[in-house]
Amino acid sequence: APDEPETTPTEASDSPAPVDPLSIEIGYALVALADDKQGGTLLNRLRAIRKQIAAETGVIVPPVHVADNLQLGPRTYSILVKGVEVARGDLVPDRLMAINPGTASSPLEGSATREPAFGLPAWWIPTAQREHASAAGYTVVDATTALSTHVSETIRGFLPDLLSRQQTKELLDRLAHTSPKLVEELVPKI
């Protein structure tokens, strides 16, 4: 169900474990983003993303397993579908990302980067520059929002891979209550 809790960060182990349908591995400098005790909001954002996608598509997205991975760079994250990396990015947790939607005019002081979900040009800027960047036409987000957007777009892109046979049956069963003739035409009785 979409209300299942997101899983908290765990240490990667050497023993083989069942492969999670959807997971995020994070470098050690990003662990605070997923730690409620340190003010991290990533797990709540992931729950909200799953609910939103379920409401829009009817597909129940499985819980996202978040784990630290010391083999990643400290500020690097990796998004995995069924244990295979499908996306990767880098974040600067103590800075804001100022994204140029194509209309921002003046350059900013900071380090140049690309917004991970859509590849737009962006800058990592100090938090004190938020208002200046917004006034110059940039979309300004924190690291958690940048990661959440990347996860959301990745889930949408891989939704067919995340849809299980059981979920497909449940979707058809629900549809059969409201539109039995449609289901009969689509899925003939054997």
Side-chain angles (χ1 to χ4, degrees), residues 37 40 71-72 101 151 154 182:
K37 295 181 187 87
Q71 294 174 342
L72 290 175
V151 170
T154 302
L182 176 63

Side-chain angles (χ1 to χ4, degrees), residues 8-56:
T8 55
T10 57
E11 292 191 24
S13 68
D14 294 332
S15 62
V19 177
D20 291 297
L22 194 55
S23 60
I24 302 171
E25 293 181 346
I26 52 179
Y28 68 82
L30 303 181
V31 169
L33 300 179
D35 186 357
D36 295 341
K37 295 181 187 87
Q38 297 183 54
T41 58
L42 179 61
L43 301 181
N44 287 334
R45 299 268 184 100
L46 294 174
R47 277 190 285 275
I49 288 167
R50 290 176 54 235
K51 284 181 182 176
Q52 181 180 2
I53 292 174
E56 290 172 8

Side-chain angles (χ1 to χ4, degrees), residues 74-128:
R75 300 182 313 176
T76 301
Y77 65 88
S78 175
I79 303 170
L80 296 92
V81 173
K82 297 181 179 174
V84 176
E85 181 179 302
V86 296
R88 177 180 281 235
D90 290 288
L91 302 172
V92 183
D94 58 346
R95 297 227 161 186
L96 297 172
M97 180 181 277
I99 305 160
N100 186 344
T103 55
S105 50
S106 61
L108 297 174
E109 287 181 33
S111 54
T113 187
R114 290 235 165 240
E115 186 279 330
F118 302 105
L120 296 170
W123 297 89
W124 285 110
I125 60 170
T127 54

Side-chain angles (χ1 to χ4, degrees), residues 138-170:
Y138 289 86
T139 302
V140 182
V141 299
D142 63 15
T144 303
T145 302
L147 174 53
S148 299
T149 302
H150 199 184
V151 170
S152 177
E153 290 305 307
T154 302
I155 290 172
R156 290 172 196 282
F158 283 88
L159 213 49
D161 299 288
L162 296 169
L163 180 62
S164 69
R165 182 180 176 141
Q166 181 61 33
Q167 285 179 315
T168 305
K169 181 188 179 314
E170 290 167 7

